[in-house]
Amino acid sequence: MKIMVAVKRVVDYAVKIRVKPDKSGVETQNVKMSMNPFCEIALEEALRIKEAGLAKEVVAVSMGLANCVDTLRTSLAMGADRGIHVEAARELIPLTVAKILKKLVGVENPGLLILGKQAIDDDCNQTGQMIAGLLGWPQGTFASKVVLDKEKQVVTVDREVDGGLETLCLDLPAVITTDLRLNQPRYATLPNIMKAKSKPIKKYTPEELNVEIKSDLEVVQVTEPPKRKAGVILSSVDELIDKLRNEAHVI
Amino acid sequence: MEKLRATSNLRRSLKSLLNRRLSSGSDFTHFNQKRSFQTSFNWIRDYKSVGEVNAVQYRYFSSVSTLVQRNPSFSTLNSDDISYFKGLLGEKNVIQDEDRLETVNTDWMHKYKGSSKLLLQPRSTEEVSQILRYCNSRCLAVVPQAGNTGLVGGSVPVFDEVIVNVGSMNNIISFDKVSGILVCEAGCILENLISFLDNQGFVMPLDLGAKGSCQIGGNVSTNAGGLRLVRYGSLHGNVLGLEAVLANGDVLDMLGTLRKDNTGYDLKHLFIGSEGSLGIVTKVSILTPPKLSSVNLAFLACKDYSSCQKLLVEAKRKLGEILSAIEFLDDQAMVLVLHHLDGVRNPLPTSMHNFYVLIETIGSDDSFDREKLEAFLLSSMEGGLISDGVLAQDINQLSSFWRIREGVPEALMKAGAVYKYDLSLPVEKMYNLVDDMRVRLGNLAKVVGYGHLGDGNLHLNISAPQYDDAILEQIEPYVYEWTSKHRGSISAEHGLGLMKANKIYYSKTPETVQIMASIKTLLDPNGILNPYKVLPHSINP
């Protein structure tokens, strides 16, 4: 069985982001980019399933500009077998990503499609659900535990929901999106980084896959949230009472 | 007077120094010759066995020594003094509260504890100047204190010295975005400066594990080294100017912001590394390098020390200008860190390796740097220098690898008692000392070695469940003699403080030390600034 994992190149989680002066988006020039943390977890889960002998191959997919290849190289360095890069000249919205994935699934025929639950740049949390809808596959989102049963061709997924944990049993092929507590991704070891250099990355364009890149959404403005006002350190209880009475008007 | 194990150290050194002076009548010029080492060593041994004679001898010389005795020429605080300070600084900044005094009287390692009754928190250079003028006139001893993260007992009182803490002077005065020159007050916490500069696109030229608490005034006064010395050089090169207050209250304004200024003797260098004994640093002007976007960190494993060494040579050659840090830790250090610190993950869990090396590169072009680094790592692996390794893929992984190296001192603290030594040695010989100490100590204690491989700086730490003089005997003066024999420094970056006040002769000639004493007398005739520290007690006024 093949597992396909979709990975996204985003602004590094630890970077202090800044909004561009023209408010058209977040500053991404000269800013450290890395793999979306949830995608890392998705890839780690796929690798663990393969190492347990339940899958034959892990294929990593990324879509976007040429620099997506960096993220694919990281995936290969972690242990994925092959990479697929779909070149696109601009930001893709989740629906387009889902449509492209559907075409790729048609080419590769994986038994399991694992994605991160959301990307940390747009926080959409839509791609996994959309692709499951387009393919007509069962979906287990916000997975915090995944157990594959190859014999019965089902996968049992524990989902993190508002009320607690929900356990679903899905027939394969299925779509899983990963949540934070699923696993701790491995580091890219040197031997694997070296091996990754010779692993193949196949390039596609959306035209080849017959998917139209059009966006129904337009970003009008991006602004920072209002700055928190600094607290004031008071020197006595009298001052506190005075402020509560005269400034905050609460007593 | 509570001075834990420092006391026995000082007694021992005093005995050796005084014995030599009395018996041979010779000066210290012979000290550096190997033969003298042997003789002084013997004297120490003899005295130890005599027992009762020790005490008698010691008391006999007590008028000559001011070592473990409080200098009687210093006054004691009285209520007039307190009123004066309260009038000068305001009630809030004159602290006599027991609990707060407890913290400022104790160093970070909980090894040194003073009994100061007064903590002062000036908010401006003028206030510092008034404080010192007054203390000088009253002959009250003063301990300048910043972040109190020092590791040689230099930042806490020995007896009842008044503590002058610059922590309230934490303003950033100016920052020039073109030249990168930052002017700030001495009480600015290093991490806050790093965040401030981050927003401006610059970095501080020094970085150390204590950054969350240490203050720049303290860093400058101790000439702190840190993790990036191999890339940015020492503070002597990066500090462009400083403002210091002398013992008599005079304010020495050397706060230049010029990259080049060859007008007269460059006095600021005296204060950098003087550990508060020549003046209190109140403002610093420092050159900050631009923040470059591409940072890469490799966490590598080597099977023996000679591979680490060869790796260092290769790294300097192959990585060249992008190399920004190269650190090492041995397996003992790794075990301690994994055991005592929370949330730390072993990057190479498949097996325990003998040595771990961290190599960091900082440059302006990510793909170029990565290529260079990967090529270097590949050739090192093929050459058998590295047995395994991981490369950080994002900032989180980067911080977790650094946490391992930066967390070693903390882990050692949690493991129990620790004897800490900070030595500069020729890189080839560095780890031999660790092996020698392991043989010497056997089962008595665990010997841990880690440090700045790129600077030839070994942090030798001996960890035991409790402090024990038997262990200390095996360590000192063997460690200092070993270092001296290889012409190393007995304190690479930590300074002398109280711990090594009498050890300076292991690394400096008597003539040099004599000049230091003269300078000290010139700038601080009453000896009120940080007494009992840095210079040997036999010549400290």
Side-chain angles (χ1 to χ4, degrees), chain B residues 210-225:
Chain B
K211 59 187 147 217
S213 312
C214 67
Q215 295 166 15
I216 191 70
N219 290 139
V220 167
S221 298
T222 50
N223 190 21

Side-chain angles (χ1 to χ4, degrees), chain A residues 62-198:
Chain A
S62 196
M63 311 180 192
L65 298 167
N67 46 30
C68 280
V69 174
D70 293 339
T71 316
L72 283 173
R73 286 272 164 233
T74 306
S75 320
L76 297 173
M78 279 172 74
D81 301 291
R82 273 188 297 124
I84 296 179
H85 174 214
V86 180
E87 286 207 85
R90 33 179 259 235
E91 283 289 304
L92 300 175
I93 58 168
L95 186 56
T96 318
V97 172
K99 288 180 183 168
I100 297 178
L101 272 178
K102 178 175 175 194
K103 293 292 162 100
L104 289 173
V105 162
V107 171
E108 297 280 342
N109 286 311
L112 203 54
L113 179 58
I114 314 185
L115 298 94
K117 73 171 181 185
Q118 64 196 58
I120 60 170
D121 53 3
D122 54 24
D123 281 341
C124 282
N125 186 5
Q126 295 164 3
T127 314
Q129 291 86 334
M130 283 176 175
I131 177 72
L134 288 175
L135 288 172
W137 286 10
Q139 55 179 282
T141 51
F142 316 122
S144 66
K145 187 157 150 215
V146 170
V147 179
L148 189 65
D149 188 337
K150 207 165 169 192
E151 296 290 308
K152 299 198 200 123
Q153 285 286 293
V154 292
V155 61
T156 312
V157 174
D158 280 4
R159 302 180 58 222
E160 293 205 11
V161 294
D162 286 344
L165 287 177
E166 180 187 57
T167 310
L168 292 180
C169 191
L170 315 170
D171 290 330
L172 294 182
V175 173
I176 295 177
T177 71
T178 61
D179 208 329
L180 212 50
R181 267 169 279 266
L182 178 56
N183 60 44
Q184 206 178 33
R186 64 193 61 186
Y187 294 126
T189 63
L190 285 183
N192 285 340
I193 293 174
M194 300 310 162
K195 269 188 242 159
K197 289 190 195 296
S198 49

Side-chain angles (χ1 to χ4, degrees), chain B residues 300-472:
Chain B
L300 310 164
C302 297
K303 62 179 187 305
D304 55 26
Y305 185 69
S306 75
S307 313
C308 294
Q309 220 185 291
K310 290 191 198 123
L311 195 60
L312 167 67
V313 173
E314 282 298 298
K316 282 192 164 162
R317 194 162 296 266
K318 296 256 172 64
L319 296 173
E321 73 283 4
I322 64 168
L323 178 67
S324 65
I326 174 159
E327 301 282 311
F328 87 101
L329 51 152
D330 65 8
D331 55 347
Q332 294 284 0
M334 187 63 155
V335 164
L336 273 171
V337 167
L338 292 173
H339 190 233
H340 290 279
L341 294 185
D342 296 323
V344 166
R345 203 176 130 195
N346 186 350
L348 300 165
T350 42
S351 58
M352 269 317 273
H353 299 267
N354 292 328
F355 290 92
Y356 296 94
V357 175
L358 273 98
I359 296 183
E360 190 196 55
T361 65
I362 297 181
S364 47
D365 184 335
D366 202 29
S367 42
F368 173 71
D369 286 1
R370 232 160 212 262
E371 234 180 86
K372 230 173 162 174
L373 184 58
E374 285 181 8
F376 159 71
L377 292 173
L378 178 61
S379 72
S380 304
M381 264 203 106
E382 286 173 351
L385 293 179
I386 311 175
S387 36
D388 201 358
V390 288
L391 196 53
Q393 299 295 319
D394 56 40
I395 299 183
N396 260 335
Q397 292 186 4
L398 220 129
S399 328
S400 40
F401 293 171
W402 269 124
R403 175 97 180 91
I404 296 175
R405 163 63 185 86
E406 287 183 317
V408 182
E410 196 189 323
L412 281 161
M413 280 272 292
K414 294 193 171 156
V418 56
Y419 294 95
K420 205 177 265 292
Y421 298 91
D422 162 47
L423 313 158
S424 264
L425 289 165
V427 177
E428 325 80 70
K429 302 270 179 12
M430 225 154 76
Y431 207 73
N432 292 348
L433 177 55
V434 181
D435 290 327
D436 278 357
M437 289 310 298
R438 288 206 172 115
V439 168
R440 255 180 104 74
L441 287 166
N443 282 329
L444 279 179
K446 233 188 293 198
V447 182
V448 171
Y450 62 98
H452 311 290
L453 189 61
D455 314 327
N457 183 188
L458 171 71
H459 288 308
L460 174 72
N461 281 256
I462 290 140
S463 174
Q466 275 149 322
Y467 285 110
D468 183 356
D469 277 345
I471 299 179
L472 185 58

Side-chain angles (χ1 to χ4, degrees), chain B residues 15-17 19-20 23-24 26-27 30-47 477 481 506:
Chain B
K15 281 194 292 245
S16 76
L17 287 175
N19 288 331
R20 298 200 66 257
S23 56
S24 62
S26 64
D27 57 7
H30 295 306
F31 212 88
N32 286 329
Q33 289 171 23
K34 200 167 174 192
R35 205 182 322 148
S36 309
F37 281 134
Q38 302 293 30
T39 28
S40 62
F41 207 15
N42 289 330
W43 283 326
I44 290 170
R45 265 198 227 112
D46 288 340
Y47 274 103
E481 289 172 0
Y506 285 105

Side-chain angles (χ1 to χ4, degrees), chain B residues 108-121:
Chain B
W108 182 77
M109 295 198 356
H110 298 291
K111 213 174 162 187
Y112 299 97
K113 187 157 185 225
S115 39
S116 170
K117 298 277 181 296
L118 186 63
L119 165 66
L120 298 176
Q121 291 185 314

